[in-house]
Amino acid sequence: MLTLGATPAQAAETPLRDLAAAKGKVMGTAVTGAKLTGTYGDLAGREFNALTPGNAMKWGSVEPTRGSFNWAEADQIVDFAEAHGQQVRGHTLVWHSQNPSWLTNGSWTSAELSQLMNDHIALEVGRYKGRLATWDVVNEPFNEDGTYRQTLWYNGLGADYIAQALTAARAADPGAKLYINDYNVEGVNAKSTALYNLVRSLKERGVPIDGVGLQAHLILGQVPSTMRQNIQRFADLGVDVAITELDIRMQLPSDSGKLTQQAADYKAVMNACLAVSRCAGVTVWGFTDSDSWIPSTFPGQGAATPYDENYAPKPAYHAIAESLGGGTTTPPPTDACTAVYSVTSQWNTGFTGQVRIACSGAALSSWKASWTFGAGQQLTQAWNASCTQSGATVTCSNASYNGTVPDGGSVTFGFNGSWSGSNPVPAVTLG
């Protein structure tokens, strides 16, 4: 059966995570561990394929007293994510804020500070080695004018604290993708250009850097017009880009006009990411207004997330779904995904073949391809698919890691077989 990532009849019921996965993207949310029960936990597990601990992995949370650690909430979030088939974004290792007082109030030599940073990264990243997909290694290193922020780290170690932190994180978990994360860098401006120049320099020096996080704490009606251009220029450096902390705040009370504008803004951000292949995806900074940092930080403002305080989806939620291909009234064309069989090599009694599944105008979240051999051929081995043969009929379904075929993308699987007499190419059906 041809399983589309989002069928129109199910658009309202199709979770955002499934719509995003069909496009090869992450749709994440920041969460509070203590709330991962009831409706909050149900929505967090159902709608998102990635979680970011809002505060649980920050230095002040995990080591409030030197040498005394509290991993309970961080562990809880990672366990929840693994139970729900979600990836985790570690946040954050080196930052000027939410550090323990023993660290900020200490009188450290450069050597001591360097060792403290290295040890912290080795301990925290090492604890979750192999379990986290990404880390925001360095958070908010720049001022608005593009100069380096004067922090404990910059003042004590110089600008190269960033390269040092990335190098330490790579050593602690070679499999995790390493990011630098900042705010007000969503469009092209002095701050984002400073970040761009830093990433380019790190790449040239061979420092491990896999991605750039654009936080996207935005104000209603103020999505930068150069956002897509900015994402693309970072991607052109050879790094991934992620929208890591999206929320769009407004003056309270909200009304239908503001909520309509907010929906358009969310869609604009989603579309900017979807337009660039190296944009890994979008994470909202809390999915419900009851779990948002905005009201306490910006008095009189709020209603910044896709769900209201009672967990009802707002127009912003539906705008995200629509941008990901849900909610449309026009079904995708039935021939939008095709499968083509080819023989790549052949010898006296055997051959190697492959099937390429490609989509244009639709997307798949899983696939199954079948064909009937016309001359007695027998499959002997397959890779990148699970294949069975019954008589002349072969049926192959996706492996656990390649079921998603995004619009404009393709996957290929291969096989070996035996033949005698002739080896005609059969027609393949997705069905």
Side-chain angles (χ1 to χ4, degrees), residues 238-249:
V239 295
D240 294 337
V241 181
I243 310 300
T244 54
E245 304 182 21
L246 175 62
D247 49 31
I248 302 176
R249 63 187 184 269

Side-chain angles (χ1 to χ4, degrees), residues 203-228:
K203 292 281 287 184
E204 289 170 350
R205 294 167 53 193
V207 175
I209 173 73
D210 300 305
V212 171
L214 314 180
Q215 291 184 14
H217 294 298
L218 302 176
I219 299 170
L220 189 71
Q222 296 184 27
V223 177
S225 61
T226 53
M227 190 168 192
R228 176 179 173 179

Side-chain angles (χ1 to χ4, degrees), residues 19-201:
L19 297 173
K23 292 186 175 292
K25 302 292 185 183
V26 166
M27 187 70 224
T29 183
V31 291
T32 301
K35 297 183 180 181
L36 285 172
T37 59
T39 303
Y40 181 97
D42 291 344
L43 287 173
R46 186 186 79 202
E47 294 290 335
F48 303 98
N49 57 12
L51 299 182
T52 302
N55 290 297
M57 289 186 177
K58 292 169 181 173
W59 200 331
S61 298
V62 299
E63 194 182 6
T65 303
R66 189 174 186 184
S68 176
F69 299 92
N70 181 0
W71 302 105
E73 187 187 0
D75 287 350
Q76 178 188 15
I77 292 169
V78 174
D79 290 344
F80 181 97
E82 290 178 341
H84 291 80
Q86 299 163 307
Q87 60 176 249
V88 177
R89 182 180 198 90
H91 179 83
T92 177
L93 295 168
V94 179
W95 190 26
H96 64 271
S97 185
Q98 289 185 251
N99 288 314
S101 58
W102 66 263
L103 177 65
T104 55
N105 295 335
S107 298
W108 315 107
T109 66
S110 290
E112 289 170 335
L113 192 60
S114 177
Q115 192 64 51
L116 282 166
M117 185 175 76
N118 285 345
D119 290 348
H120 172 67
I121 293 171
L123 180 69
E124 183 158 4
V125 178
R127 180 181 181 85
Y128 299 106
K129 181 180 180 180
R131 300 178 71 189
L132 267 60
T134 51
W135 275 101
D136 290 327
V137 178
V138 175
N139 202 43
E140 301 173 1
F142 290 107
N143 294 314
E144 297 305 301
D145 63 0
T147 58
Y148 282 102
R149 187 190 291 268
Q150 303 291 303
T151 68
L152 172 72
W153 308 110
Y154 180 82
N155 294 337
L157 301 175
D160 239 24
Y161 82 89
I162 297 171
Q164 180 182 337
L166 290 162
T167 301
R170 174 67 88 233
D173 187 353
K177 290 200 169 187
L178 310 180
Y179 278 68
I180 299 173
N181 191 52
D182 215 327
Y183 65 92
N184 288 351
V185 291
E186 296 75 31
V188 176
N189 56 35
K191 192 175 188 180
S192 65
T193 297
L195 180 57
Y196 175 89
N197 290 334
L198 170 64
V199 172
R200 182 174 60 185
S201 172

Side-chain angles (χ1 to χ4, degrees), residues 324-396:
L324 291 170
T328 177
T329 57
T330 304
T334 56
D335 60 350
C337 295
T338 58
V340 177
Y341 179 113
S342 60
V343 175
T344 57
S345 64
Q346 183 172 301
W347 53 99
N348 55 354
T349 59
F351 70 97
T352 299
Q354 71 173 29
V355 172
R356 180 176 183 266
I357 299 171
C359 292
S360 179
L364 301 178
S365 56
S366 63
W367 48 262
K368 186 180 291 184
S370 59
W371 65 88
T372 301
F373 281 130
Q377 301 99 316
Q378 290 289 322
L379 227 60
T380 57
Q381 180 187 16
W383 51 91
N384 295 333
S386 176
C387 295
T388 59
Q389 182 169 352
S390 177
T393 301
V394 175
T395 302
C396 297

